Amino acid sequence: MADTSASLKNGAPEISSGAPVHKGSKMANPFKKLTAGSGSRTEILAMIGVGLVFLSIWEFLPPLLDVPRYIIPTFSNCLEEFGRMMQRENLMGHFMSTLISALVGFALGGLLGAASGYLLGLSSLWERVLSPYILALQIAPKVAFAPLFIMWFGYNAIPKLLVTVLIVFFPILVNVLQSMKTVDRDLVNLARVYSMNRLTIFRKIEVPSSLPNLFAGLRIGATLAVIGVTVGELVGGNTGLGFLISYGEGQANTAMVFNAIFLLTVIGIALYFAVAAVEKRVLHYLVREDH
Amino acid sequence: MTSSLELRNITKVFTDRNTGNSVTAVEDMSFSVGAGELVAVVGPSGCGKSTILNMVSGLYGTSSGQVLINGDEVTGTRPEVGFMLQKDLLLPWRNIVKNVEFGLEERKFSRAERRERAMQELERMKLAEFAEHYPHQLSGGMRQRAALARTLVIEPDIILLDEPFSALDAQTKLVLQRHFARTIAEAGVTCVLITHDLNEAVIMADRVVVMSGRPGTVVDEFAIELGNRRDPLARSMEAQTGVYVKRLFDTLHLENEAA
Ligand SMILES: Nc1ncnc2c1ncn2[C@@H]1O[C@H](COP(=O)(O)OP(=O)(O)OP(=O)(O)O)[C@@H](O)[C@H]1O
Ligand SMILES: [Mg+2]
């Protein structure tokens, strides 16, 4: 954990060097640049500029090249379709259905994944016995289970929820298990010297030590949850943004597909940032390289 | 309140779980520490110094031989033993005062009592104003002082120090050695100090035990007759200190050549 290499300089506390490296941040954070880039004014202006250039190319280039609307609808086509979908297609209802499924699936998958990770972490025997199966299931493409679940449970909310739970489950399980295996033995020994029992050590040492990894898993799970729900809705069902994508495809309504993809992205980003915000509060004691 | 410690013909053999090879870390090792005494243990890297501390603290048993505290055989961890490593082992998710309280949480104290004792200890370590800080906000020396506070707050009879100063820079080390020497002497606890630093062994200890390379065993043992253990800095100025350091140096050096 904390490295003791920092030194006392003029008796003043050193605020940030020699800090523990945020374990969970080993994996790339896809949104880091977005949040950390608030450096200079010119950068922000350039960012906005790029967005505007993109929007105007999108708006004016396809008509200039005579690209038909059903191949690439322009930005204004999409906005127009967005309004129509709000009024005629119950867009809000579909959006909420997808959002709720993603949230519920994420919560269930996260809970089950974390619980299994901790249980396996407590029992090295079971971990060894089950590890080949966990590896196999982890590699199996979870979204491919969607049609199976529809055959089993029918055209309702259960299949998409199951796909979501399944897809969220593994990265969280693996992250938690990994952290349980790498808990600092010396911290555990310290607790043992203080006569703490197994359960207390789990509660006071192992769980807190594993939190950075748990949150790394949750962040991955947040983005995967949206994929799980989308696939579930694409394959079968009559609600949700995934359904709107296949519905729009059937009608050659490309603007509808664009809008659905956009809203799915919004849900993914919101979920990701919600997890990141909770993480920042819970893991406030970690010094990060990014600010 | 103080306890004596005795190691009697201790041997520890580790068996590698994967290869099945066994390694004898320490062999037929005996020495004792009187009540209130501070004994330094020096020896080459890998000779089993940390292994000895783990057996004394009851984290694992010996392969043969016995560890006795006040004549009782050690069979598991005990509440009267405190332990401190080169790593401060402060919990990064707890602030300093809660870290100090950690050791008290298995004792029958109320929350308020725990806080009071922890604050008293921090006061003594001159860390009271950092009670609400988190470990990463403190320097290495302060963190090590906080770790000492956590070790002493349980009022141990015996404390085991495994190279507590070796990760610190030279200046901090001097300050902390003096601070530790004073605090430990005032608390009157029995202490085993493991160190690589021969000078540190001489200026801090009442007695020094020298170990051979692996398998570790005692090759020399002598009292440091410098007096005034509370002031290692003053001790280090004395001419006799050099003589003791030379003796340690020679003993260890000869050992290396034989190996
Ligand atoms: N749990 C263990 N399993 C197997 N071998 C071990 C174990 N603990 C220690 N050893 C071996 O025992 C020997 C002594 O280790 P120990 O950590 O006690 O040495 P040390 O004197 O403290 O070394 P250093 O000065 O580098 O801290 C080493 O060879 C080490 O590899
Ligand atoms: Mg050691």
Side-chain angles (χ1 to χ4, degrees):
Chain A
M1 293 252 93
D3 208 87
T4 44
S5 56
S7 59
L8 196 71
K9 282 177 187 146
N10 310 324
E14 245 175 42
I15 297 303
S16 67
S17 62
V21 177
H22 182 193
K23 270 198 210 157
S25 65
K26 257 175 286 175
M27 45 164 321
N29 176 347
F31 299 118
K32 189 185 275 179
K33 285 286 175 291
L34 277 182
T35 48
S38 56
S40 69
R41 278 184 76 89
T42 44
E43 263 178 55
I44 295 174
L45 287 175
M47 234 184 259
I48 295 170
V50 168
L52 288 176
V53 168
F54 173 76
L55 282 183
S56 44
I57 289 177
W58 179 17
E59 180 63 35
F60 299 113
L61 197 60
L64 269 176
L65 297 177
D66 276 335
V67 179
R69 182 185 169 143
Y70 62 85
I71 300 289
I72 300 181
T74 63
F75 178 57
S76 54
N77 292 153
C78 287
L79 278 181
E80 190 187 311
E81 172 63 14
F82 195 91
R84 195 193 65 80
M85 286 165 81
M86 288 288 274
Q87 283 177 350
R88 299 278 168 81
E89 308 282 357
N90 186 21
L91 181 58
M92 217 42 217
H94 289 295
F95 177 80
M96 287 313 288
S97 162
T98 299
L99 177 65
I100 289 168
S101 303
L103 284 176
V104 172
F106 172 68
L108 277 178
L111 224 59
L112 288 173
S116 318
Y118 285 122
L119 281 175
L120 287 179
L122 285 173
S123 161
S124 61
L125 174 69
W126 279 107
E127 196 254 316
R128 283 199 301 276
V129 170
L130 294 178
S131 65
Y133 302 102
I134 292 172
L135 186 69
L137 278 170
Q138 197 196 338
I139 291 170
K142 261 72 66 182
V143 291
F145 287 73
L148 207 58
F149 292 148
I150 289 171
M151 280 149 67
W152 290 343
F153 300 101
Y155 287 88
N156 52 41
I158 294 177
K160 65 176 175 179
L161 215 55
L162 276 181
V163 180
T164 311
V165 169
L166 204 60
I167 203 171
V168 169
F169 179 83
F170 284 97
I172 293 171
L173 169 107
V174 170
N175 265 283
V176 168
L177 184 54
Q178 182 61 29
S179 71
M180 286 289 283
K181 294 202 302 194
T182 53
V183 171
D184 188 343
R185 296 314 302 164
D186 290 323
L187 282 182
V188 173
N189 283 343
L190 179 78
R192 285 178 55 205
V193 169
Y194 287 133
S195 313
M196 293 184 176
N197 62 30
R198 191 70 195 83
L199 188 69
T200 312
I201 292 175
F202 176 67
R203 216 159 38 81
K204 292 188 177 172
I205 306 284
E206 290 175 323
V207 171
S209 304
S210 73
L211 288 182
N213 272 47
L214 173 65
F215 275 105
L218 288 174
R219 267 191 275 124
I220 304 169
T223 46
L224 291 180
V226 180
I227 295 178
V229 178
T230 308
V231 171
E233 290 172 346
L234 272 173
V235 173
N238 47 17
T239 52
L241 297 169
F243 163 73
L244 285 185
I245 288 177
S246 65
Y247 178 69
E249 182 202 355
Q251 300 197 328
N253 185 346
T254 314
M256 182 185 266
V257 177
F258 273 38
N259 287 339
I261 293 175
F262 171 74
L263 288 178
L264 282 167
T265 310
V266 168
I267 292 179
I269 291 176
L271 209 54
Y272 181 92
F273 277 106
V275 172
V278 174
E279 177 179 4
K280 203 171 169 191
R281 281 197 74 118
V282 174
L283 302 181
H284 63 90
Y285 54 83
L286 291 182
V287 183
R288 294 145 201 261
E289 297 118 293
D290 58 320
H291 290 272
Chain B
M1 264 283 290
T2 47
S3 301
S4 65
L5 171 69
E6 190 183 349
L7 282 77
R8 228 182 246 170
N9 308 105
I10 290 191
T11 298
K12 180 70 186 179
V13 182
F14 287 109
T15 309
D16 192 302
R17 208 181 279 165
N18 297 320
T19 61
N21 295 342
S22 51
V23 177
T24 307
V26 290
E27 191 164 41
D28 197 25
M29 170 112 194
S30 302
F31 71 88
S32 58
V33 185
E37 198 182 14
L38 194 160
V39 170
V41 177
V42 297
S45 186
C47 72
K49 301 184 294 295
S50 302
T51 305
I52 293 173
L53 279 206
N54 287 338
M55 290 186 290
V56 172
S57 58
L59 285 170
Y60 47 68
T62 60
S63 301
S64 70
Q66 296 166 304
V67 179
L68 304 169
I69 292 179
N70 285 334
D72 284 347
E73 188 170 352
V74 172
T75 52
T77 59
R78 301 168 151 240
E80 72 266 32
V81 176
F83 137 130
M84 220 181 125
L85 305 184
Q86 173 182 347
K87 293 192 280 183
D88 54 63
L89 297 183
L90 295 174
L91 306 176
W93 53 86
R94 291 184 176 220
N95 64 23
I96 297 301
V97 63
K98 290 212 178 98
N99 261 293
V100 175
E101 287 175 27
F102 182 68
L104 295 172
E105 288 168 9
E106 294 299 299
R107 308 278 170 97
K108 292 185 184 65
F109 290 125
S110 71
R111 191 178 288 253
E113 240 174 321
R114 274 207 304 265
R115 178 55 56 102
E116 196 188 310
R117 281 169 185 257
M119 282 312 296
Q120 259 170 20
E121 206 56 53
L122 284 176
E123 210 83 59
R124 202 141 69 98
M125 300 293 160
K126 309 208 164 40
L127 280 174
E129 58 181 308
F130 297 100
E132 306 291 329
H133 284 54
Y134 282 81
H136 73 84
Q137 298 171 310
L138 268 54
S139 70
M142 294 163 100
R143 285 205 294 263
Q144 212 51 329
R145 252 156 52 211
L148 182 63
R150 179 190 58 202
T151 308
L152 291 177
V153 78
I154 62 165
E155 300 183 337
D157 294 346
I158 297 182
I159 61 175
L160 309 171
L161 306 175
D162 194 349
E163 305 184 19
F165 311 115
S166 59
L168 305 171
D169 65 278
Q171 217 176 317
T172 311
K173 192 173 183 169
L174 285 177
V175 176
L176 223 60
Q177 281 169 343
R178 187 156 76 167
H179 188 88
F180 271 48
R182 221 171 258 169
T183 318
I184 289 167
E186 274 163 18
V189 293
T190 307
C191 182
V192 179
L193 169 70
I194 285 181
T195 176
H196 270 132
D197 182 337
L198 304 183
N199 187 56
E200 177 177 294
V202 172
I203 63 177
M204 295 207 50
D206 294 311
R207 204 144 48 82
V208 181
V209 170
V210 187
M211 287 174 73
S212 66
R214 203 180 71 212
T217 193
V218 180
V219 288
D220 194 8
E221 184 179 345
F222 56 91
I224 306 285
E225 274 146 4
L226 291 171
N228 195 17
R229 208 185 80 196
R230 282 162 193 250
D231 194 353
L233 213 56
R235 267 182 157 200
S236 67
M237 306 298 170
E238 288 186 38
Q240 186 63 20
T241 302
V243 178
Y244 287 125
V245 173
K246 175 84 170 52
R247 176 168 173 180
L248 288 176
F249 185 84
D250 286 343
T251 314
L252 288 167
H253 191 63
L254 283 177
E255 272 304 311
N256 284 346
E257 276 183 349

